[in-house]
mmCIF file of all heavy atoms in Angstrom:
data_model
loop_
_atom_site.group_PDB
_atom_site.id
_atom_site.type_symbol
_atom_site.label_atom_id
_atom_site.label_comp_id
_atom_site.label_asym_id
_atom_site.label_seq_id
_atom_site.Cartn_x
_atom_site.Cartn_y
_atom_site.Cartn_z
ATOM 1 N N LEU A 1 9.184 11.781 1.226
ATOM 2 C CA LEU A 1 9.820 11.280 -0.044
ATOM 3 C C LEU A 1 11.066 10.470 0.149
ATOM 4 O O LEU A 1 11.892 10.888 1.026
ATOM 5 C CB LEU A 1 10.050 12.473 -1.044
ATOM 6 C CG LEU A 1 10.607 12.146 -2.308
ATOM 7 C CD1 LEU A 1 9.543 11.448 -3.121
ATOM 8 C CD2 LEU A 1 10.961 13.488 -3.104
ATOM 9 N N ASN A 2 11.086 9.401 -0.486
ATOM 10 C CA ASN A 2 12.275 8.347 -0.225
ATOM 11 C C ASN A 2 12.183 7.718 1.105
ATOM 12 O O ASN A 2 13.160 7.056 1.456
ATOM 13 C CB ASN A 2 13.607 9.048 -0.566
ATOM 14 C CG ASN A 2 13.701 9.428 -1.930
ATOM 15 O OD1 ASN A 2 13.309 8.757 -2.900
ATOM 16 N ND2 ASN A 2 14.309 10.568 -2.217
ATOM 17 N N GLY A 3 11.204 7.934 1.944
ATOM 18 C CA GLY A 3 11.120 7.280 3.174
ATOM 19 C C GLY A 3 10.274 6.020 3.184
ATOM 20 O O GLY A 3 9.381 5.776 2.238
ATOM 21 N N GLN A 4 10.520 5.138 4.127
ATOM 22 C CA GLN A 4 9.815 3.808 4.132
ATOM 23 C C GLN A 4 8.342 4.039 4.541
ATOM 24 O O GLN A 4 8.036 4.823 5.477
ATOM 25 C CB GLN A 4 10.513 2.841 5.136
ATOM 26 C CG GLN A 4 11.902 2.420 4.686
ATOM 27 C CD GLN A 4 11.783 1.428 3.470
ATOM 28 O OE1 GLN A 4 10.927 0.639 3.342
ATOM 29 N NE2 GLN A 4 12.639 1.568 2.515
ATOM 30 N N VAL A 5 7.407 3.305 3.925
ATOM 31 C CA VAL A 5 6.049 3.414 4.153
ATOM 32 C C VAL A 5 5.439 1.966 4.047
ATOM 33 O O VAL A 5 5.962 1.087 3.502
ATOM 34 C CB VAL A 5 5.238 4.385 3.248
ATOM 35 C CG1 VAL A 5 5.662 5.826 3.503
ATOM 36 C CG2 VAL A 5 5.271 3.956 1.801
ATOM 37 N N SER A 6 4.217 1.959 4.812
ATOM 38 C CA SER A 6 3.434 0.773 4.666
ATOM 39 C C SER A 6 1.955 1.211 4.258
ATOM 40 O O SER A 6 1.465 2.045 4.976
ATOM 41 C CB SER A 6 3.366 0.008 5.990
ATOM 42 O OG SER A 6 2.473 -1.157 5.870
ATOM 43 N N VAL A 7 1.601 0.794 3.122
ATOM 44 C CA VAL A 7 0.174 1.214 2.590
ATOM 45 C C VAL A 7 -0.739 0.078 2.733
ATOM 46 O O VAL A 7 -0.556 -1.024 2.088
ATOM 47 C CB VAL A 7 0.356 1.763 1.149
ATOM 48 C CG1 VAL A 7 -0.962 2.256 0.696
ATOM 49 C CG2 VAL A 7 1.337 2.916 1.047
ATOM 50 N N SER A 8 -1.873 0.312 3.335
ATOM 51 C CA SER A 8 -2.894 -0.713 3.428
ATOM 52 C C SER A 8 -4.030 -0.248 2.422
ATOM 53 O O SER A 8 -4.414 0.773 2.580
ATOM 54 C CB SER A 8 -3.557 -0.779 4.770
ATOM 55 O OG SER A 8 -2.554 -1.215 5.785
ATOM 56 N N VAL A 9 -4.289 -1.214 1.581
ATOM 57 C CA VAL A 9 -5.327 -0.939 0.535
ATOM 58 C C VAL A 9 -6.579 -1.692 0.922
ATOM 59 O O VAL A 9 -6.558 -2.934 1.021
ATOM 60 C CB VAL A 9 -4.787 -1.417 -0.909
ATOM 61 C CG1 VAL A 9 -5.870 -0.944 -1.897
ATOM 62 C CG2 VAL A 9 -3.520 -0.651 -1.153
ATOM 63 N N PHE A 10 -7.617 -0.961 0.965
ATOM 64 C CA PHE A 10 -8.984 -1.671 1.255
ATOM 65 C C PHE A 10 -9.648 -1.807 0.038
ATOM 66 O O PHE A 10 -10.342 -0.968 -0.496
ATOM 67 C CB PHE A 10 -9.737 -0.816 2.287
ATOM 68 C CG PHE A 10 -8.842 -0.528 3.547
ATOM 69 C CD1 PHE A 10 -8.422 0.680 3.779
ATOM 70 C CD2 PHE A 10 -8.444 -1.543 4.408
ATOM 71 C CE1 PHE A 10 -7.635 1.043 4.920
ATOM 72 C CE2 PHE A 10 -7.727 -1.286 5.606
ATOM 73 C CZ PHE A 10 -7.277 0.102 5.701
ATOM 74 N N GLY A 11 -9.748 -3.034 -0.516
ATOM 75 C CA GLY A 11 -10.310 -3.218 -1.905
ATOM 76 C C GLY A 11 -11.817 -3.621 -1.734
ATOM 77 O O GLY A 11 -12.404 -3.711 -0.745
ATOM 78 N N LEU A 12 -12.368 -4.014 -2.925
ATOM 79 C CA LEU A 12 -13.632 -4.416 -3.054
ATOM 80 C C LEU A 12 -13.801 -5.822 -2.522
ATOM 81 O O LEU A 12 -12.866 -6.662 -2.562
ATOM 82 C CB LEU A 12 -14.125 -4.453 -4.329
ATOM 83 C CG LEU A 12 -14.196 -3.049 -5.103
ATOM 84 C CD1 LEU A 12 -14.490 -3.250 -6.625
ATOM 85 C CD2 LEU A 12 -15.227 -2.108 -4.468
ATOM 86 N N ARG A 13 -15.089 -6.114 -1.997
ATOM 87 C CA ARG A 13 -15.312 -7.568 -1.423
ATOM 88 C C ARG A 13 -14.309 -7.939 -0.404
ATOM 89 O O ARG A 13 -13.832 -9.077 -0.381
ATOM 90 C CB ARG A 13 -15.331 -8.540 -2.585
ATOM 91 C CG ARG A 13 -16.490 -8.147 -3.542
ATOM 92 C CD ARG A 13 -16.650 -9.239 -4.567
ATOM 93 N NE ARG A 13 -17.696 -8.893 -5.577
ATOM 94 C CZ ARG A 13 -17.673 -9.263 -6.854
ATOM 95 N NH1 ARG A 13 -16.847 -10.039 -7.277
ATOM 96 N NH2 ARG A 13 -18.701 -8.882 -7.565
ATOM 97 N N ASN A 14 -13.882 -7.099 0.489
ATOM 98 C CA ASN A 14 -12.951 -7.427 1.457
ATOM 99 C C ASN A 14 -11.676 -7.870 1.133
ATOM 100 O O ASN A 14 -10.984 -8.710 1.858
ATOM 101 C CB ASN A 14 -13.629 -8.324 2.634
ATOM 102 C CG ASN A 14 -14.775 -7.742 3.217
ATOM 103 O OD1 ASN A 14 -14.771 -6.377 3.494
ATOM 104 N ND2 ASN A 14 -15.831 -8.389 3.612
ATOM 105 N N LYS A 15 -11.188 -7.573 -0.122
ATOM 106 C CA LYS A 15 -9.772 -8.018 -0.555
ATOM 107 C C LYS A 15 -8.926 -6.915 -0.241
ATOM 108 O O LYS A 15 -8.654 -5.920 -1.068
ATOM 109 C CB LYS A 15 -9.939 -8.311 -2.035
ATOM 110 C CG LYS A 15 -10.718 -9.548 -2.313
ATOM 111 C CD LYS A 15 -10.614 -9.953 -3.764
ATOM 112 C CE LYS A 15 -11.521 -11.126 -3.972
ATOM 113 N NZ LYS A 15 -11.437 -11.712 -5.222
ATOM 114 N N ASN A 16 -8.227 -7.061 0.988
ATOM 115 C CA ASN A 16 -7.331 -6.048 1.350
ATOM 116 C C ASN A 16 -5.880 -6.541 1.156
ATOM 117 O O ASN A 16 -5.612 -7.749 1.183
ATOM 118 C CB ASN A 16 -7.549 -5.759 2.792
ATOM 119 C CG ASN A 16 -8.894 -5.239 3.126
ATOM 120 O OD1 ASN A 16 -9.621 -4.721 2.301
ATOM 121 N ND2 ASN A 16 -9.408 -5.583 4.325
ATOM 122 N N TYR A 17 -4.963 -5.605 0.874
ATOM 123 C CA TYR A 17 -3.554 -6.084 0.758
ATOM 124 C C TYR A 17 -2.726 -4.899 1.173
ATOM 125 O O TYR A 17 -3.109 -3.764 1.355
ATOM 126 C CB TYR A 17 -3.309 -6.526 -0.635
ATOM 127 C CG TYR A 17 -3.330 -5.381 -1.748
ATOM 128 C CD1 TYR A 17 -2.215 -4.644 -2.119
ATOM 129 C CD2 TYR A 17 -4.453 -5.284 -2.420
ATOM 130 C CE1 TYR A 17 -2.308 -3.693 -3.080
ATOM 131 C CE2 TYR A 17 -4.701 -4.273 -3.412
ATOM 132 C CZ TYR A 17 -3.565 -3.517 -3.758
ATOM 133 O OH TYR A 17 -3.679 -2.532 -4.665
ATOM 134 N N GLN A 18 -1.373 -5.254 1.436
ATOM 135 C CA GLN A 18 -0.396 -4.363 2.002
ATOM 136 C C GLN A 18 0.605 -4.138 0.957
ATOM 137 O O GLN A 18 1.146 -5.059 0.342
ATOM 138 C CB GLN A 18 0.185 -4.997 3.271
ATOM 139 C CG GLN A 18 0.925 -4.148 4.132
ATOM 140 C CD GLN A 18 0.122 -3.539 5.325
ATOM 141 O OE1 GLN A 18 -1.120 -3.836 5.322
ATOM 142 N NE2 GLN A 18 0.596 -2.696 5.996
ATOM 143 N N VAL A 19 1.155 -2.864 0.961
ATOM 144 C CA VAL A 19 2.325 -2.534 0.096
ATOM 145 C C VAL A 19 3.320 -1.943 0.897
ATOM 146 O O VAL A 19 3.086 -0.955 1.675
ATOM 147 C CB VAL A 19 1.863 -1.495 -1.009
ATOM 148 C CG1 VAL A 19 3.097 -1.068 -1.801
ATOM 149 C CG2 VAL A 19 0.734 -2.027 -1.975
ATOM 150 N N ASN A 20 4.428 -2.536 1.010
ATOM 151 C CA ASN A 20 5.511 -2.034 1.863
ATOM 152 C C ASN A 20 6.737 -1.670 0.836
ATOM 153 O O ASN A 20 7.316 -2.455 0.148
ATOM 154 C CB ASN A 20 6.085 -3.148 2.789
ATOM 155 C CG ASN A 20 5.011 -3.480 3.734
ATOM 156 O OD1 ASN A 20 4.407 -2.693 4.439
ATOM 157 N ND2 ASN A 20 4.680 -4.762 3.819
ATOM 158 N N GLY A 21 7.213 -0.479 1.089
ATOM 159 C CA GLY A 21 8.256 0.017 0.210
ATOM 160 C C GLY A 21 8.583 1.477 0.687
ATOM 161 O O GLY A 21 8.511 1.900 1.751
ATOM 162 N N TYR A 22 9.041 2.308 -0.403
ATOM 163 C CA TYR A 22 9.340 3.715 -0.114
ATOM 164 C C TYR A 22 8.631 4.547 -1.217
ATOM 165 O O TYR A 22 8.333 4.187 -2.304
ATOM 166 C CB TYR A 22 10.833 3.956 -0.143
ATOM 167 C CG TYR A 22 11.520 3.681 -1.426
ATOM 168 C CD1 TYR A 22 11.617 4.733 -2.378
ATOM 169 C CD2 TYR A 22 11.991 2.359 -1.783
ATOM 170 C CE1 TYR A 22 12.357 4.500 -3.547
ATOM 171 C CE2 TYR A 22 12.552 2.161 -3.053
ATOM 172 C CZ TYR A 22 12.739 3.282 -3.908
ATOM 173 O OH TYR A 22 13.389 2.964 -5.088
ATOM 174 N N ILE A 23 8.310 5.831 -0.795
ATOM 175 C CA ILE A 23 7.788 6.858 -1.705
ATOM 176 C C ILE A 23 8.743 7.213 -2.719
ATOM 177 O O ILE A 23 9.844 7.737 -2.277
ATOM 178 C CB ILE A 23 7.256 8.008 -0.908
ATOM 179 C CG1 ILE A 23 6.068 7.472 0.031
ATOM 180 C CG2 ILE A 23 6.654 8.956 -1.938
ATOM 181 C CD1 ILE A 23 5.573 8.527 1.024
ATOM 182 N N SER A 24 8.723 6.805 -3.946
ATOM 183 C CA SER A 24 9.590 7.056 -4.980
ATOM 184 C C SER A 24 9.461 8.449 -5.662
ATOM 185 O O SER A 24 10.430 9.124 -6.056
ATOM 186 C CB SER A 24 9.811 5.921 -5.961
ATOM 187 O OG SER A 24 8.512 5.697 -6.425
ATOM 188 N N ASN A 25 8.224 8.740 -5.943
ATOM 189 C CA ASN A 25 7.841 9.980 -6.638
ATOM 190 C C ASN A 25 6.626 10.680 -6.097
ATOM 191 O O ASN A 25 5.784 9.973 -5.622
ATOM 192 C CB ASN A 25 7.664 9.694 -8.117
ATOM 193 C CG ASN A 25 8.893 9.343 -8.861
ATOM 194 O OD1 ASN A 25 9.855 10.069 -8.798
ATOM 195 N ND2 ASN A 25 8.831 8.187 -9.485
#
């Protein structure tokens, strides 16, 4: 919690994206 993370999201039709931030809640 409150630590830095990088989340990789594997979406439909090979639409992947990255979320870089911190766990807030």
Side-chain angles (χ1 to χ4, degrees):
L1 182 64
N2 295 320
Q4 292 290 323
V5 293
S6 177
V7 179
S8 299
V9 180
F10 308 109
L12 298 173
R13 298 184 182 152
N14 295 327
K15 294 189 178 184
N16 304 331
Y17 63 93
Q18 194 94 5
V19 176
N20 297 308
Y22 65 92
I23 299 174
S24 56
N25 291 302

